[in-house]
Amino acid sequence: MVSGITVNFKSANILRTSISKISPYLDEVIIINHSEEEKKLLEQLTNSKIRIYTHPNRGYAKGCNLGAEKAKGDFLIFFNPDTIVMDDTVSLLIEDLKKGYDIAVPKFLNPDLSFQPSTRKFPQLKHLFVSRSSLLRFFYKNKKLENEYFGMELEKIDKPVMLKDRFPLGGFFAIKKSSFSELGGFDERFFLYFEDTDFFKRAIERGYTIVFDPRAKIVHYHGYSQSSIPLKSNFHKLKSFYLYGLKHENCTSFLLLLAFILVFYVAIIFFLDLFDLHIPEKRWSEGK
């Protein structure tokens, strides 16, 4: 049995499209709804296969873990509301799990069907210069570092390949329920962002196998949910980055430098918000 799990926050319209595309390939769909105002709209989707649970927003990680608790399947598909599955994707990922992989991820595509990088190197301070949401990217250009961080070489891959030194984004992935439970699910201290970075780092360190399967594809409307709350979204990203550093880095000087940079970032973000001067995050569909 295959269970699909998604967490909704002000994304009901696009989620309805996502559900209509993926539900035929799943045995059940569990929606953890964090938007009380969208409850009635989502309830229109309810049927024998789709179950909706509306809860106060305690973060994305909490929502995913709750969905996993409700799931009856041996296999779990976690998917964001802004993803549209393509034919055979679910069956290919489940096939990978049945072959012995613990986690399977698809290739992400932009709405124009061009390649969208969906893996990252585990973050270091230098990656602040290439992150598409970073202000520092305007002052420093390093194409080699950027290509390495985003895994641009995966665009040419046409056969399944193991991910060993990088992690997939959590927007769409398949995992055995037993593996998810053994790993303790997502760390709920991460309200938003870096919960996937932390989860997959723990998985790789404990010897779990992650396969990137380019035969399986999904379309990702990048940044759809965050666009409604740019200030809060950026704040949680910075906060979660620091939490990730605290959890996985033992170097005091690194943590102090990271704290200084993030405080500086928060000040800039609040300044931009005060004067309504947002610098939009570059979308992959706009070019690389």
Side-chain angles (χ1 to χ4, degrees):
M1 185 174 181
V2 183
S3 302
I5 299 166
T6 190
V7 178
N8 175 67
F9 181 72
K10 298 184 179 181
S11 301
N13 288 327
I14 196 169
L15 176 58
R16 295 173 70 181
T17 302
S18 180
I19 293 293
S20 69
K21 295 294 185 181
I22 196 172
S23 60
Y25 306 107
L26 301 172
D27 296 300
E28 66 172 359
V29 179
I30 297 168
I31 302 172
I32 304 300
N33 177 39
H34 286 164
S35 297
E36 179 68 31
E37 66 275 20
E38 293 184 321
K39 181 178 180 180
K40 291 185 178 180
L41 181 61
L42 290 175
E43 285 178 346
Q44 298 174 17
L45 301 174
T46 304
N47 56 36
S48 59
K49 182 182 287 189
I50 300 173
R51 290 180 282 145
I52 301 170
Y53 301 89
T54 298
H55 291 271
N57 188 3
R58 297 289 184 266
Y60 179 77
K62 177 72 173 179
C64 286
N65 289 345
L66 179 59
E69 291 175 10
K70 302 289 186 183
K72 300 176 182 178
D74 298 317
F75 303 103
L76 308 178
I77 299 281
F78 288 92
F79 65 99
N80 281 2
D82 56 3
T83 58
I84 306 297
V85 72
M86 302 184 76
D87 292 342
D88 298 326
T89 290
V90 171
S91 60
L92 284 167
L93 296 182
I94 298 303
E95 177 184 311
D96 288 330
L97 297 183
K98 290 181 177 179
K99 287 180 178 178
Y101 294 107
D102 298 297
I103 302 168
V105 299
K107 175 185 281 189
F108 282 35
L109 303 175
N110 292 309
D112 63 2
L113 302 186
S114 60
F115 176 69
Q116 182 181 116
S118 60
T119 70
R120 303 286 188 269
K121 280 283 190 179
F122 287 103
Q124 301 175 38
L125 284 179
K126 65 181 180 179
H127 296 137
L128 287 172
F129 289 98
V130 296
S131 171
R132 288 172 303 116
S133 61
S134 171
L135 300 174
L136 297 182
R137 76 181 191 273
F138 295 103
F139 305 103
Y140 178 81
K141 303 291 183 182
N142 187 320
K143 196 67 175 179
K144 182 179 179 181
L145 178 61
E146 183 177 333
N147 288 342
E148 173 193 273
Y149 178 58
F150 291 114
M152 300 303 295
E153 72 276 7
L154 292 177
E155 180 176 7
K156 307 301 182 182
I157 299 295
D158 58 7
K159 296 180 181 179
V161 60
M162 288 268 289
L163 299 180
K164 298 180 180 180
D165 61 348
R166 60 176 50 251
F167 69 96
L169 301 185
F172 197 109
F173 70 97
I175 184 170
K176 300 172 184 176
K177 186 174 183 179
S178 58
S179 298
F180 189 77
S181 298
E182 288 165 3
L183 285 164
F186 288 112
D187 186 336
E188 295 179 7
R189 290 176 294 177
F190 294 92
F191 185 87
L192 184 64
Y193 296 113
F194 286 90
E195 72 290 318
D196 52 353
T197 315
D198 168 72
F199 179 79
F200 292 121
K201 184 174 181 63
R202 288 187 282 119
I204 290 175
E205 288 178 344
R206 291 180 57 178
Y208 288 79
T209 53
I210 304 176
V211 63
F212 171 83
D213 193 336
R215 303 171 302 165
K217 302 178 179 68
I218 62 108
V219 173
H220 180 217
Y221 288 83
H222 176 81
Y224 182 91
S225 300
Q226 293 91 321
S227 62
S228 63
I229 49 169
L231 176 61
K232 288 185 177 179
S233 178
N234 281 315
F235 174 77
H236 283 300
K237 183 177 292 186
L238 296 174
K239 180 182 177 182
S240 293
F241 188 15
Y242 185 68
L243 175 59
Y244 177 85
L246 284 175
K247 185 172 181 179
H248 295 286
E249 297 288 344
N250 296 317
C251 178
T252 302
S253 58
F254 172 89
L255 293 174
L256 288 174
L257 179 59
L258 177 60
F260 173 80
I261 292 173
L262 296 186
V263 168
F264 175 70
Y265 261 45
V266 168
I268 292 178
I269 289 170
F270 274 93
F271 175 83
L272 293 174
D273 185 72
L274 180 63
F275 293 96
D276 197 24
L277 298 172
H278 298 293
I279 299 177
E281 180 178 344
K282 185 179 179 181
R283 299 290 181 260
W284 286 112
S285 56
E286 296 171 356
K288 299 171 187 174

